[in-house]
Amino acid sequence: QDTQEKEGILPERAEEAKLKAKYPSLGHKPGGSDFLMKRLQKGVWGIISYPLSLEPKGVLGMKSVEQKYFDSGDYNMAKAKMKNKQLPSAGPDKNLVTGDHIPTPQDLPQRKSSLVTSKLAG
Amino acid sequence: MAESGGGNDIQWCFSQVKGAVDDDVAEADIISTVEFNHSGELLATGDKGGRVVIFQQEQENKIQSHSRGEYNVYSTFQSHEPEFDYLKSLEIEEKINKIRWLPQKNAAQFLLSTNDKTIKLWKISERDKRPEGYNLKEEDGRYRDPTTVTTLRVPVFRPMDLMVEASPRRIFANAHTYHINSISINSDYETYLSADDLRINLWHLEITDRSFNIVDIKPANMEELTEVITAAEFHPNSCNTFVYSSSKGTIRLCDMRASALCDRHSKLFEEPEDPSNRSFFSEIISSISDVKFSHSGRYMMTRDYLSVKIWDLNMENRPVETYQVHEYLRSKLCSLYENDCIFDKFECCWNGSDSVVMTGSYNNFFRMFDRNTKRDITLEASRENNKPRTVLKPRKVCASGKRKKDEISVDSLDFNKKILHTAWHPKENIIAVATTNNLYIFQDKVN
């Protein structure tokens, strides 16, 4: 409350100023089709890497997601150091950037179903 | 069976806690949904590992009437498994997003459970008898040599230890391109809706190979996408009416009698915003994470990041009541954006008589608002208070300035301890509160 009175701005605006001071290249509107589209693509395999300094997050919270290449086509493209690869199922999105590192089978996330009984039932 | 007087006239006591004590939480154990059935006798939970656990309230012990029946494990099963859609290169999580119970029609219980892509109808049935005395089979199942049979007998049913079986009766798949956030059973008990980010489908419970699309907000050009569907629910009494909420803080009420495709709403509920108050965070914190009709059907409640709003269906231009859940977070929005907490999706619920509403917060706190007395209370789900019949002590967060004794300062709040899912027994003052991996059950003090 004291801060509000002294500076005469809403706490929200003060927070906004803080965020913009940390990330000067942040756009004005967090909404917009780019960011919503990323949310819609949750779970899609491919490299989506967004350091906070470059891109604001979608309205619906698309976090930086590091996922791995899943087939030999992607693997070879990474090897050839191609940038700005299109995601297989996405619409055109020029902002997507591929990473440089090439995953090995050990890096791939384990996908096993939970065969163990829930601890709530224990 | 006390009618709820007010959220604060009630003294809430710890009753039970389920789940592991250790702090090392496996991903699969994260609770993702909690739901009482229509009678309140059964309580279902779903988790990130795709498992459902159902608890049953034991029959009240008439002699020891100081507490209501406890909830014990009734059935547990693996509802969904992780999948990979090779065509779209899409990983499909097994996490159970929602569970909804069907009203009971016969001895068996039915529920719908859904992950991001597939809804399943599960039948949970009891078996407490088994046939014995077959002529051609031994008791252990081995077949007898027919030539050794000299007399015949009639097999009879004999009691056995209760066995609860869960079996999938219907699988409703391949109808959602985007991620399912809601399912809601219609009051006709024959149909239900499922909603994803851009579309809502209407299903018949008996028919799995087709569904009707009733809402489609996908723009022709995806570059024009400005909002997504965040939740949807059928009206509790009018089988033609449903609502859906959006990421922009609006709620649309649709009438299926008006047209086959309900893209044009019948009512639009939106609170006007003062443009001078607008900030970078405004749209994010206005996104509605949950919408719930009151039992009466006259009101609906919405939850956005900082508040709970009650809307009268007869008034579209503003809510009739607004309750601040954790207003002190407004001066923390920068760090909440950085750690993604600003995108947390809190749910909300009504008590049986629609007089009190409840929702979760951080630090394992949850809040209740009494609509009649206008008083509110903050309680904590913690193992520290776990002596049965211990009355929970109200909590208070100190926003700024001098912190009083027993108050907690905003900076000490643990934002990893979030209560997103809560449920209220439909008839009694019993609540189920889910922390990350534990389920707490609280009851009001019965003397």
Side-chain angles (χ1 to χ4, degrees), chain A residues 1-2 10-13 15-20 22-23 26-34 36-37 39-45 52 55-64 67 70 88-89 92 94 109-122, chain B residues 18-20 28-29 31 45 47 49 51 53 55 73 76 78 81-84 88-91 93-94 116 178-179 197-198 222-228 247 276-285 287 330-335 337-338 340 343 345 400 437 439:
Chain A
Q1 256 89 356
D2 286 339
L10 297 169
E12 242 178 88
R13 288 277 181 80
E15 291 295 296
E16 181 176 0
K18 232 190 265 178
L19 192 68
K20 295 221 164 123
K22 273 189 176 180
Y23 309 104
L26 214 52
H28 274 287
K29 248 175 80 70
S33 60
D34 272 0
L36 290 175
M37 278 205 284
R39 163 195 165 116
L40 301 182
Q41 282 178 41
K42 164 198 157 196
V44 177
W45 281 52
L52 186 61
E55 289 291 342
K57 295 178 201 190
V59 175
L60 302 141
M62 272 307 296
K63 312 173 196 199
S64 310
Q67 287 167 321
F70 73 97
S89 60
K94 303 164 213 45
Q110 296 304 315
R111 296 190 64 249
K112 61 177 197 290
S113 62
S114 327
L115 299 172
V116 179
T117 309
S118 163
K119 291 188 184 137
L120 292 183
Chain B
K18 310 276 184 192
D29 292 326
I31 299 172
T45 60
D47 66 22
R51 300 162 302 189
V53 182
F55 302 92
V73 179
T76 177
Q78 185 80 34
E81 305 255 350
E83 290 173 59
F84 193 84
K88 296 180 190 164
S89 310
L90 178 66
E91 194 171 342
E93 265 197 300
E94 67 272 38
D116 282 340
Y178 303 100
H179 300 104
D197 293 318
L198 296 180
M222 282 297 267
E223 311 255 317
E224 291 162 20
L225 183 64
T226 55
E227 67 183 326
V228 296
S247 53
S276 62
N277 286 343
R278 202 160 169 81
S279 78
F280 177 83
F281 304 108
S282 298
E283 188 167 318
I284 303 175
I285 62 174
S287 176
R330 206 179 282 271
S331 54
K332 298 286 164 202
L333 291 177
C334 178
S335 38
Y337 180 87
E338 289 180 283
D340 276 350
F343 301 107
K345 294 178 176 46
S400 61
N437 64 329
L439 182 72

Side-chain angles (χ1 to χ4, degrees), chain B residues 62-123:
Chain B
K62 296 291 190 254
I63 301 163
Q64 289 189 305
S65 57
H66 55 247
S67 69
R68 297 194 187 80
E70 281 201 338
Y71 283 83
N72 300 314
V73 179
Y74 178 67
S75 172
T76 177
F77 55 92
Q78 185 80 34
S79 172
H80 288 71
E81 305 255 350
E83 290 173 59
F84 193 84
D85 181 337
Y86 292 94
L87 204 59
K88 296 180 190 164
S89 310
L90 178 66
E91 194 171 342
I92 303 168
E93 265 197 300
E94 67 272 38
K95 173 168 76 89
I96 308 296
N97 293 334
K98 286 281 165 17
I99 288 173
R100 289 288 182 263
W101 289 93
L102 265 70
Q104 192 172 12
K105 283 196 287 196
N106 52 38
Q109 300 277 359
F110 289 85
L111 61 80
L112 285 177
S113 70
T114 187
N115 69 348
D116 282 340
K117 295 286 178 182
T118 304
I119 306 127
K120 294 188 184 182
L121 176 70
W122 287 89
K123 175 180 179 182

Side-chain angles (χ1 to χ4, degrees), chain B residues 422-441:
Chain B
T422 60
W424 204 308
H425 190 289
K427 301 184 173 78
E428 298 178 27
N429 284 328
I430 302 174
I431 55 177
V433 174
T435 58
T436 306
N437 64 329
N438 284 176
L439 182 72
Y440 286 79
I441 299 171

